[in-house]
Amino acid sequence: MSKNVLVLAEVRSGNLRNVSLEALSAAKQVANGGKVIAALFGSDMDSFVTPLAHYGADQIYLIRNKQLDIYTTDAYTQAFTQVIQEVKPDAIFLGHTAIGKDLAPRVAARLQLGLISDCTGLEVNGDEVIFTRPIYAGKAFQKKKISAGTIFATIRPNNIPIGDPNPNGIASTVSFEAEIKDIRTVVKEVVRKASESIDLSEAKIIVSGGRGVKSADGFKSLYELAEVLGAAVGASRGACDAGYCDYSLQIGQTGKVVTPDLYIACGISGAIQHLAGMSNSKIIVAINKDPEAPIFQVADFGIVGDLFEVVPLLTEQFKKV
Ligand code: FAD
């Protein structure tokens, strides 16, 4: 049976987030010929209609409201709940981002819906949808089958292939007035760290440093390698706790969860809490001078050596490519 699927289209720093396109791709599979509807929030979102149509949206709800320009829990919860009540979708997808993690459970609770969070894959089998999601900090995967009721899921970034855009794709638009009141928080200013130029959670390549990097200065060589590779820089909690870098770079159980195509771990031992954030990376390269370091157990390629020699060598070699 075909389904109508609603996707929250997230915009960050003036760009549609990749994970929203991944959610659209998941929506197309589940829709099975039904309608894929994207919801765009904010006062100036019209420029995203065409890209969303190219990536599979059939209809786009524009919720034009200045109070939705910057995410606040209250405003988005009210607006998204109202859109869902209007559209009455069979399935709802959001990215498993900071916004998705905050918003989805609240909306699900308000609408008395079940929620499957942090999905890394899905299969459609007739009317059933089977989601895969990591459990026990990524040590195992669980499959959840939904065969009735409204499907509500958040999608982990970098897991569902986006597919090629269709430059002829078109979508109808619907202007939707959301009633937003009693906002308890006001965001006065958003200050982004320079390190956030490439979003860690969506980065295809991450160069990550641990306590073995030894100082904030030591991170310079990681940034140089990252620049040559077009990568984001991440860190272990060990490195953050030691003050070598900002906590916004922390990857792991209590940091960001990442799934890049390539993760280069430099001077990171591979504690279970770090692995929880990166062990699902497609290819893991570990550089560590201790051949017994646990990181080598999850690494596809291991270099036993001093990162201060290996990292500059890699940078030189990649510059030549
Ligand atoms: P270390 O374990 O000290 O490892 C440093 C490594 O660098 C060693 O393997 C060493 O051989 C290597 N090394 C040293 N010098 C060099 C060199 N010159 N060249 C190459 N290699 C070198 N950790 C996280 O990362 N993320 C989390 O989200 C997180 N959450 C946590 C939550 C809880 C509740 C707890 C209890 C812990 C958490 N931790 C987390 C901490 C975690 O347990 C580890 O302490 C931490 O990951 C260790 O960081 P590290 O690997 O950088 O440091």
Side-chain angles (χ1 to χ4, degrees), residues 278-311:
M278 48 61 76
S279 61
N280 291 319
S281 303
K282 294 187 186 78
I283 294 176
I284 298 171
V285 176
I287 305 166
N288 198 303
K289 63 181 186 185
D290 174 8
E292 303 297 325
I295 190 80
F296 288 125
Q297 289 168 19
V298 296
D300 299 281
F301 300 94
I303 303 172
V304 178
D306 186 337
L307 72 92
F308 295 104
E309 290 169 19
V310 177
V311 171

Side-chain angles (χ1 to χ4, degrees), residues 140-320:
F141 286 88
Q142 178 184 52
K143 294 213 176 219
K144 291 235 173 190
K145 183 165 77 180
I146 311 284
S147 33
T150 307
I151 298 166
F152 197 169
T154 62
I155 307 286
R156 182 185 283 202
N158 273 346
N159 279 274
I160 294 178
I162 292 176
D164 293 330
N166 170 9
N168 301 319
I170 47 166
S172 58
T173 54
V174 177
S175 289
F176 183 80
E177 294 270 334
E179 194 193 334
I180 299 172
K181 55 184 182 192
D182 303 330
I183 304 298
R184 291 168 296 178
T185 49
V186 176
V187 179
K188 292 200 162 168
E189 191 187 0
V190 177
V191 181
R192 290 201 195 285
K193 300 252 157 50
S195 58
E196 288 183 33
S197 51
I198 299 178
D199 183 359
L200 256 185
S201 57
E202 291 194 343
K204 296 282 178 212
I205 306 176
I206 294 176
V207 178
S208 199
R211 210 153 15 206
V213 179
K214 294 196 173 61
S215 66
D217 222 37
F219 261 83
K220 279 186 190 155
S221 65
L222 272 62
Y223 276 101
E224 281 162 17
L225 176 58
E227 191 172 334
V228 173
L229 293 173
V233 172
S236 71
R237 176 156 149 190
C240 299
D241 282 347
Y244 306 161
C245 51
D246 193 88
Y247 279 104
S248 61
L249 302 191
Q250 184 182 320
I251 290 167
Q253 188 179 319
T254 43
K256 296 199 166 97
V257 175
V258 297
T259 331
D261 292 341
L262 175 61
Y263 188 87
I264 306 177
C266 311
I268 294 177
S269 59
I272 178 78
Q273 295 90 353
H274 187 75
L275 301 185
M278 48 61 76
S279 61
N280 291 319
S281 303
K282 294 187 186 78
I283 294 176
I284 298 171
V285 176
I287 305 166
N288 198 303
K289 63 181 186 185
D290 174 8
E292 303 297 325
I295 190 80
F296 288 125
Q297 289 168 19
V298 296
D300 299 281
F301 300 94
I303 303 172
V304 178
D306 186 337
L307 72 92
F308 295 104
E309 290 169 19
V310 177
V311 171
L313 277 175
L314 287 176
T315 308
E316 280 316 303
Q317 289 304 315
F318 283 121
K319 270 185 189 164
K320 292 181 193 162

Side-chain angles (χ1 to χ4, degrees), residues 1-6 30 87-92 149-152:
M1 200 180 75
S2 62
K3 292 183 167 64
N4 290 338
V5 188
L6 177 66
V30 171
V87 173
K88 298 184 182 59
D90 303 299
I92 306 157
T150 307
I151 298 166
F152 197 169

